[in-house]
């Protein structure tokens, strides 16, 4: 499979390292307008063709798969151009900035649809070993009927990005879209239902408050609580702090059903299962790890596994496991949460789809 990369910053280079470790594929071209990013990628791929404009690359190079790892506000335009070419596509999360933009991307995919084309959204947290194990337990019915899903992300502040694009809501869609779409995707898989309503409280309290770029002050939120009601009565909650370096786990997922509680502790790579009927016997604790041949990268091997799964789908002609609709739903919850914060009210998700 002949791959090309659009955007070779931090995430683009993670994809390159993954793909280099997978047999049966080759990265033949890269594109990025930022020379240091191109040089970083070329140092991993010495004989690769380089372009500063991805449209020239799409016009000149024979390709099978394109990976889009550009800033969020560029995803819609890049996707629309890539869809025209008919190649398979992996687009980084968030799919786009807003529901309206995601709908435009989906419409463009339909307008240029090719049978067998795999379009995959990079919501790879589902492939982290503890998360995958938790999802497996939910499928096995270990929890019984799931009632509550909470995800706590307590971590370090946003990293520095090329031209500081991630310091502004207008480029990211807001922290609850940019970062937390991962968690809304995982919650959706656990709740197995559609979101009805979102209530949120959040603010930029600590990070980046004094950072000014081209006369504009950074405006990104760094902590929030988000509560989600699902159609089937499941309740979800996100607890986000981006000034919590002093945490044992970066993410902790907790699911409670009518039969058991399951926790996935991401950094410690532990899953805990506590059954209601056997509580006096204690909570079972399992250490879960990725297989040794998985490239860990910055995401505990999850972005490597997403490529393996995507290539399987392409070869076997099966459907994408992380679809444009999944990308849209995850963005919708983040957008609704930002609206809830801005207007201090619950937001019915249908408001975003008018
Ligand atoms: N899946 C994950 O867990 C994860 C983690 C980090 C970032 N991301 C996503 O990956 C994307 C990139 O983030 P990053 O951290 O690599 O940022 P980055 O700033 O490190 O890299 C972005 C690169 O895109 C380039 N770029 C900008 N416009 C371009 C264009 N028109 N054509 C080609 N290249 C262009 C920039 O010059 C830069 O080199 C974002 O959408 C981000 O949300 C996903």
């Amino acid at each position: 499979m002949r791959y090309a990369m659009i955007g070779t910053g931090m995430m683009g280079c993670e994809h390159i390292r993954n793909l280099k470790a997978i047999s049966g594929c080759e990265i033949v071209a890269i594109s990025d307008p930022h020379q240091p990013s191109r040089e970083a990628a070329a140092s991993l791929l010495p004989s690769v063709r380089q372009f500063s404009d991805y449209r020239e690359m799409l016009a000149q190079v024979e390709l099978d798969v394109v990976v889009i790892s550009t800033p969020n506000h560029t995803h819609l335009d890049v996707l629309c151009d890539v869809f025209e070419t008919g190649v398979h596509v992996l687009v980084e999360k968030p799919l786009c900035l807003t529901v309206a933009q995601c709908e435009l991307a989906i419409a463009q995919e339909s307008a240029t649809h090719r049978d067998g084309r795999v379009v995959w959204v990079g919501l790879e947290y589902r492939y982290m070993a503890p998360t995958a194990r938790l999802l497996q337990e939910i499928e096995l019915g270990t929890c019984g009927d799931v009632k509550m899903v909470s995800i706590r992300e307590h971590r370090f502040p946003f990293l520095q990005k090329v031209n500081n694009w991630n310091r502004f809501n207008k480029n990211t869609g807001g922290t609850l879209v940019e970062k937390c779409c991962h968690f809304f995707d995982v919650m959706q898989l656990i709740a197995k239902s559609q979101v009805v309503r979102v209530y949120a409280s959040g603010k930029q309290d600590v990070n980046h408050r004094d950072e000014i770029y081209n006369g504009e002050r950074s405006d990104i939120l760094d902590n929030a609580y988000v509560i989600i009601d699902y159609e089937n009565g499941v309740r979800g909650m996100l607890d986000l702090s981006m000034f919590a370096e002093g945490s044992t786990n970066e993410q902790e997922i907790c699911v409670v059903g009518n039969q058991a509680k399951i926790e996935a502790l991401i950094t410690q790579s532990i899953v805990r299962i506590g059954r209601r009927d056997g509580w006096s016997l204690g909570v079972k604790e399992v250490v879960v790890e990725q297989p040794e041949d998985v490239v860990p990268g910055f995401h505990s091997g999850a972005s490597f596994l997403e490529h393996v799964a995507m290539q399987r789908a392409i070869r076997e002609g099966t459907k994408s496991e992380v679809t444009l609709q999944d990308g849209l739903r995850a963005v919708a919850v983040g957008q609704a949460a930002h609206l809830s914060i801005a207007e201090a009210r619950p937001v019915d998700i249908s408001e975003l789809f008018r």
Side-chain angles (χ1 to χ4, degrees), residues 140-147 255-262 273-279:
L140 290 170
T142 306
C143 262
D145 291 337
V146 170
K147 298 295 177 194
V255 183
V256 191
N258 62 353
Q259 289 177 15
K261 166 174 164 174
I262 310 184
I273 303 172
R275 297 193 57 83
R276 292 182 73 197
D277 58 7
W279 65 271

Side-chain angles (χ1 to χ4, degrees), residues 167-169 204 208-220:
R167 294 302 196 252
F168 297 99
N169 292 323
Q204 181 183 29
H208 320 300
R209 286 162 53 98
D210 300 327
E211 294 179 19
I212 296 173
Y213 304 97
N214 300 325
E216 271 189 89
R217 192 177 291 275
S218 166
D219 60 0
I220 48 170

Side-chain angles (χ1 to χ4, degrees), residues 18 21 48 50 55 103 105 109 136 155 166 178 200 205-206 230 236-237 270-271 301 325 330 354:
N18 289 332
V48 77
Q50 299 181 37
R55 285 161 295 204
E103 287 178 331
E109 198 284 326
Q136 207 180 6
R155 57 162 272 182
N166 68 342
E178 146 65 12
D205 277 321
V206 176
Y230 291 88
M237 189 185 80
I270 285 173
V271 169
Q325 287 296 336
R354 274 173 203 155

Side-chain angles (χ1 to χ4, degrees), residues 125-138 143 148-154 183 186 190 248-256 261-274 283-288:
Y125 276 43
R126 6 162 133 193
Y127 299 107
M128 287 194 177
T131 313
R133 175 61 188 269
L134 178 141
L135 291 170
Q136 207 180 6
E137 294 291 343
I138 303 289
C143 262
M148 304 166 76
V149 187
S150 64
I151 300 185
R152 166 180 291 163
E153 181 173 63
H154 280 189
F183 308 124
V186 170
I190 296 168
T248 307
N249 286 294
E250 213 172 292
Q251 294 95 18
E252 298 181 347
I253 306 175
C254 177
V255 183
V256 191
K261 166 174 164 174
I262 310 184
E263 292 168 285
L265 312 178
I266 308 297
T267 310
Q268 291 180 299
S269 224
I270 285 173
V271 169
R272 289 191 193 129
I273 303 172
V283 171
K284 184 170 127 193
E285 191 165 292
V286 189
V287 177
V288 275

Side-chain angles (χ1 to χ4, degrees), residues 314-325:
I314 293 171
R315 289 206 169 89
E316 295 176 3
T318 53
K319 292 212 166 100
S320 171
E321 287 175 17
V322 195
T323 63
L324 292 172
Q325 287 296 336

Side-chain angles (χ1 to χ4, degrees), residues 5-15 31-34 37-38 52-55 68-72 74-75 78 92-94 122-125 160-163 165 178-179 182 299 303 306:
M5 318 299 296
I6 303 184
T8 55
M10 188 219 98
M11 202 59 209
C13 286
E14 171 153 324
H15 288 302
S31 59
D32 196 307
H34 187 63
S37 296
R38 280 201 308 278
S52 53
D53 186 330
Y54 71 88
R55 285 161 295 204
I68 302 170
S69 310
T70 58
N72 305 352
T74 65
H75 287 185
V78 178
E92 262 309 335
K93 56 75 344 206
L123 291 163
E124 84 286 352
Y125 276 43
Q160 206 83 34
K161 297 291 170 184
V162 173
N163 297 327
W165 67 267
E178 146 65 12
K179 174 99 271 301
H182 279 304
H299 297 93
S303 61
E306 94 184 318

Side-chain angles (χ1 to χ4, degrees), residues 1-4 24-29 61-66 87:
M1 282 183 212
R2 293 159 301 183
Y3 274 78
C25 65
E26 187 191 359
I27 301 170
V28 295
V61 186
E62 289 266 317
L63 297 168
D64 300 302
V65 191
V66 165
V87 297

